[in-house]
Amino acid sequence: MATTVAAPAAAPPAAGTKVRHAWTQHGLLFVVPFLAVYVAFLVWPVILGVRMSLSSVNIAGTNDGFVGFANYAEAFRAPLMWRSLWNTLVFTALSTVPLVLLGLGFALLVHHLRFVQWLWRLSFFGPFLLPSAVVSLLWLQMIYPPGYGLINGTLGIDVLWLGDPSVAMWAMVLTTVWWTVGFNFLLYLAALQSIPQHLYEAAAIDGANAWNRLRSITLPMLGRTTALIVVLQLLASLKVFDQIYLMTGGGPQDSTRSIIEYAYDTGFTGYRIGYASAVSYILFAIIVVVSLAQLRLFRKRAEGSS
C-alpha cells in the first residue's frame, strides 16, 4: 500500500526581505515589443513635439534656439489661426449631428429589411472604403462642377459649390457625410443585432407599437454605442484635413481652412516647424478638453439612468 506524504509548505519570506518575481511572472516579457514600439512612435514624438514647439526650429532642423512660449503667444495673436480654428469648430458642429443621425437611420433601415441586405450594407459602407483622393476627385469632377455637375444639373441651379465662401463649407460637410457615414452605420448595425429579441417579443405582447419599442428598447440599448460614436466623430471632425486640402486648399478666402491645414502650411510652406508644433499642441489641448468633458457628461447620464 502506497503512502502519500504531504510536501512541506513553503516558508513565508522573512520580514524585511524583498520578494523577487521572475520577468515572465506578470507577462512583462511579452509586452516589451509593444512597449518599445509605443515609446518609439508615440511617446517620443510627443516629447520631441513639445520641445520643438518651444524652439524656433525650421524645416531644415537648424535655428533651433529655445524661445519659450513665444510660439504659443504668436499663435494666439494670429487672426488666421483663430479663423482656421473657427472653421474647424463650425465643420465639427455641422458634420457631427447628421453623421450620427444618418448612421442610426440607415442602420435601422437595413436591420429591418428582409431582402438583399448585403446590397444595402455595401451601398452605405462602400464609400467609407474609398481613399480621400478618390472621393475628392469624384466630387470635384462629377458632383460640384458648375454648369454640368450632378447637383446643379439635376436641380437646375447654378451654384459655385467650392467657389462661393458662403457655400464652400456646406459643400465640404456634404462630401464628408457621404464619405464617412458608413463607419457609424456599421457600428450601429452591429449594436442593433446584439439587442436580445425577447425584449421586443415581450413588448409586443404588452401591446407596444413600433414607435414605443424604438423609444423604450432600441434607443436606450444603443446608448453606449451612441456615446462611442459621438466621441469618435468629434475627434475625427476636429482633425479634418484631407478632403479640404485636396478640394479647396482652404479657400475660397480661407472660408474652409482648418486648423490642421493652417499648421501644415505654416510648417511645410512657411518652414516654421516650431510654430506649427505650437499650433498643433493648441489643437491637442482642445481635443483633450472636449473628450474629457464629453466622457464626464455621458458618465453622469449613465449614473442618472441607473
Side-chain angles (χ1 to χ4, degrees), residues 100-213:
V100 174
L101 294 180
L102 287 177
L104 174 61
F106 292 157
L108 288 171
L109 177 65
V110 173
H111 183 64
H112 290 88
L113 286 176
R114 296 297 178 226
F115 56 95
V116 290
Q117 275 199 348
W118 65 270
L119 179 61
W120 296 104
R121 293 174 184 172
L122 179 62
S123 300
F124 291 129
F125 185 68
F128 184 73
L129 301 177
L130 298 176
S132 57
V134 174
V135 173
S136 301
L137 284 176
L138 176 67
W139 285 76
L140 276 172
Q141 301 296 329
M142 299 183 62
I143 311 295
Y144 286 146
Y148 64 91
L150 181 62
I151 298 180
N152 286 349
T154 303
L155 300 179
I157 56 179
D158 188 16
V159 177
L160 294 174
W161 293 97
L162 301 178
D164 188 343
S166 63
V167 182
M169 182 59 78
W170 289 98
M172 298 312 308
V173 170
L174 181 60
T175 301
T176 304
V177 169
W178 176 84
W179 178 27
T180 61
V181 71
F183 181 71
N184 298 342
F185 156 76
L186 197 65
L187 292 180
Y188 270 126
L189 187 62
L192 283 171
Q193 293 175 347
S194 66
I195 298 177
Q197 285 299 315
H198 64 82
L199 297 178
Y200 294 106
E201 295 170 358
I205 293 175
D206 291 338
N209 56 28
W211 168 249
N212 289 332
R213 291 196 295 271

Side-chain angles (χ1 to χ4, degrees), residues 71-79 81-82 275 282:
N71 288 328
Y72 291 91
E74 181 182 350
F76 286 122
R77 292 194 304 268
M81 197 283 291
W82 287 109
Y275 179 74
I282 291 174

Side-chain angles (χ1 to χ4, degrees), residues 250-268:
Q253 301 176 12
D254 296 321
S255 60
T256 60
R257 185 182 302 278
S258 67
I259 187 70
I260 291 288
E261 186 179 353
Y262 176 72
Y264 174 84
D265 289 340
T266 306
F268 293 97

Side-chain angles (χ1 to χ4, degrees), residues 14-93:
T17 60
K18 294 183 178 179
V19 178
R20 294 185 177 181
H21 299 286
W23 243 76
T24 57
Q25 185 170 349
H26 299 297
L28 292 176
L29 189 61
F30 300 103
V31 299
V32 164
F34 167 76
L35 288 177
V37 174
Y38 184 81
V39 170
F41 292 98
L42 186 65
V43 177
W44 175 244
V46 170
I47 296 174
L48 185 62
V50 173
R51 178 181 175 277
M52 294 171 69
S53 71
L54 301 176
S55 70
S56 58
V57 64
N58 56 31
I59 196 171
T62 59
N63 192 26
D64 57 347
F66 180 76
V67 296
F69 292 96
N71 288 328
Y72 291 91
E74 181 182 350
F76 286 122
R77 292 194 304 268
L80 188 54
M81 197 283 291
W82 287 109
R83 176 72 183 276
S84 304
L85 181 59
W86 172 252
N87 289 338
T88 304
L89 296 178
V90 169
F91 175 85
T92 301

